[in-house]
Amino acid sequence: MADGVENTGSKKKLFILIALAVTLLIGAGVAAWLLMGDETSEPEMAATSANQQVSAVVEPAYYVIMPQPFIFNVVGDKRDRVVQVKVQLMVRGNNNEALAQQHIPLIESTLLQSFGAATVEQLRTPSGRIDLRKQALFAIQSSMEKISGQQVVDRVLFTGFVMQ
């Protein structure tokens, strides 16, 4: 029986040595891969740090609340509907916020023109409302570009939407 115990002990030692050798080989392979990967990824790292620097320069978002909700009629197949939309504008930086506040009458007029072109069928679907927001954004950006030389507004947000 003593031989069986010694034989089992040496098998455990052999198993532990093999496990350690495999672990060391795997570790060496990972280390080599990482070291070789660093040389090839330097341009990627430089691009990533440049992107991080650019994103650090992006100005904070501010929200300009339109003073009153927009109430307008839309034409439908069976009957006309009344729509009420509350709007906020997302702008970047203090300068754009000040420009948007300064030109609220122009923005309101532009939004009313965009909303006036909508139909009931368009406003019934979420995709139709998204299209309307995109059209409104494009119209505002075009108007602001003519007046101030910059687009000013990044997004048009509907914070309330009721159709009766």
Side-chain angles (χ1 to χ4, degrees):
M1 261 201 196
D3 283 336
V5 172
E6 284 181 30
N7 203 6
T8 307
S10 65
K11 285 183 181 180
K12 285 183 181 178
K13 288 180 186 178
L14 182 62
F15 179 73
I16 290 172
L17 288 174
I18 291 173
L20 284 173
V22 169
T23 304
L24 286 173
L25 285 173
I26 291 173
V30 169
W33 179 74
L34 288 174
L35 290 174
M36 293 177 93
D38 282 346
E39 292 175 14
T40 58
S41 65
E42 283 179 16
E44 293 172 11
M45 289 177 65
T48 302
S49 83
N51 288 340
Q52 288 173 347
Q53 289 174 357
V54 169
S55 65
V57 176
V58 173
E59 296 193 52
Y62 293 98
Y63 297 91
V64 176
I65 300 170
M66 292 289 99
Q68 55 199 10
F70 293 88
I71 301 172
F72 55 95
N73 294 322
V74 290
V75 179
D77 287 340
K78 297 179 182 174
R79 65 184 178 115
D80 293 350
R81 305 282 181 131
V82 176
V83 177
Q84 177 182 345
V85 179
K86 292 181 182 177
V87 177
Q88 291 188 21
L89 307 174
M90 187 183 91
V91 298
R92 294 269 177 196
N94 291 330
N95 187 39
N96 286 338
E97 181 185 25
L99 283 170
Q101 292 286 351
Q102 178 183 354
H103 295 289
I104 281 183
L106 173 64
I107 293 170
E108 285 180 326
S109 174
T110 304
L111 286 171
L112 278 174
Q113 288 174 353
S114 295
F115 295 160
T119 64
V120 171
E121 290 73 27
Q122 178 184 16
L123 297 178
R124 281 189 180 150
T125 64
S127 63
R129 290 189 291 272
I130 290 170
D131 288 341
L132 181 60
R133 279 198 327 251
K134 288 178 183 177
Q135 291 167 0
L137 175 63
F138 178 74
I140 290 171
Q141 288 176 336
S142 296
S143 296
M144 293 303 293
E145 184 94 36
K146 290 175 187 173
I147 295 293
S148 67
Q150 50 191 345
Q151 292 181 343
V152 178
V153 177
D154 281 2
R155 290 188 68 186
V156 173
L157 306 167
F158 291 171
T159 56
F161 187 92
V162 177
M163 182 166 61
Q164 295 181 341

